Amino acid sequence: MASLNKVLLIGNLGRDPESRFLPSGGAVCNFSIATTESWKDKNTGQKQEKTEWHNITMYGRLAEIAGQYLKKGSSVYIEGRLQTRKWQDKQTGADRYTTEIVADEMKMLGGRGDGGGMGGGQGGGYSGGNEYNQEYSAPAAPQQAAAPRQAAPAPAAKPARSFDDFEDDIPF
């Protein structure tokens, strides 16, 4: 039987990312993001909200990028998988479990003002409106055979138009 472990989230960072390096030299970045669901209560008619917090872990180059460009309040899109780790509490010696999202893809969302983009002319083009859509992916793990992606065909170029090509139907 087939199985799937995939998580897609859009939310805001609740704290600045914490970055560190493993003894092997690989980067690790941890942070939490909040997702909020809102609805109107059928009985009272009042607006209700529920915020869920998600612990995110990134490795490698993706972790380095997140540590450098993300900060508290940044809006981000995350793709990854759920992972549960077992650890021992140092004070009580009891077994503890932590479920987190191990991210393998990230898009920074939002404009320059909300901390989600890459500031100071460091690159990253605008995509519609006033939003950055920078996408970063972690390289596929060696044990995983990634299916080759086929590039979408490029849209046909529109012919150049001159000033005389526009009709005089302007309403003023």
Side-chain angles (χ1 to χ4, degrees):
M1 176 181 267
S3 65
L4 177 67
N5 182 356
K6 186 78 167 176
V7 177
L8 307 171
L9 295 171
I10 296 176
N12 294 355
L13 272 70
R15 58 184 163 88
D16 287 342
E18 296 174 8
S19 297
R20 63 186 192 284
F21 289 90
L22 299 171
S24 64
V28 180
C29 185
N30 297 93
F31 55 91
S32 60
I33 65 171
T35 56
T36 303
E37 175 184 9
S38 59
W39 68 93
K40 192 173 187 178
D41 188 297
K42 292 180 181 179
N43 298 328
T44 64
Q46 292 184 347
K47 183 180 176 184
Q48 302 289 321
E49 278 191 354
K50 180 181 178 185
T51 300
E52 197 73 38
W53 288 92
H54 312 275
N55 294 321
I56 311 294
T57 301
M58 296 177 171
Y59 295 97
R61 181 69 180 132
L62 189 62
E64 293 175 20
I65 293 167
Q68 184 176 2
Y69 293 110
L70 296 180
K71 64 181 183 178
K72 180 179 179 177
S74 295
S75 186
V76 66
Y77 166 84
I78 298 290
E79 278 189 37
R81 60 184 166 81
L82 283 175
Q83 176 177 290
T84 302
R85 290 185 294 115
K86 180 180 175 180
W87 53 282
Q88 279 196 333
D89 189 331
K90 290 180 182 177
Q91 293 178 343
T92 64
D95 288 344
R96 302 281 184 185
Y97 296 89
T98 300
T99 300
E100 61 196 358
I101 290 121
V102 177
D104 54 24
E105 191 169 323
M106 169 185 71
K107 287 185 183 181
M108 294 182 281
L109 307 173
R112 294 177 192 263
D114 76 351
M118 299 168 61
Q122 300 235 358
Y126 283 96
S127 176
N130 190 21
E131 292 192 2
Y132 280 100
N133 283 323
Q134 282 297 319
E135 180 176 344
Y136 299 98
S137 296
Q143 69 270 19
Q144 296 175 347
R149 290 188 178 180
Q150 295 182 358
K158 293 182 180 178
R161 296 179 75 179
S162 70
F163 182 74
D164 296 332
D165 291 342
F166 294 100
E167 297 179 7
D168 287 330
D169 58 353
I170 300 174
F172 53 88

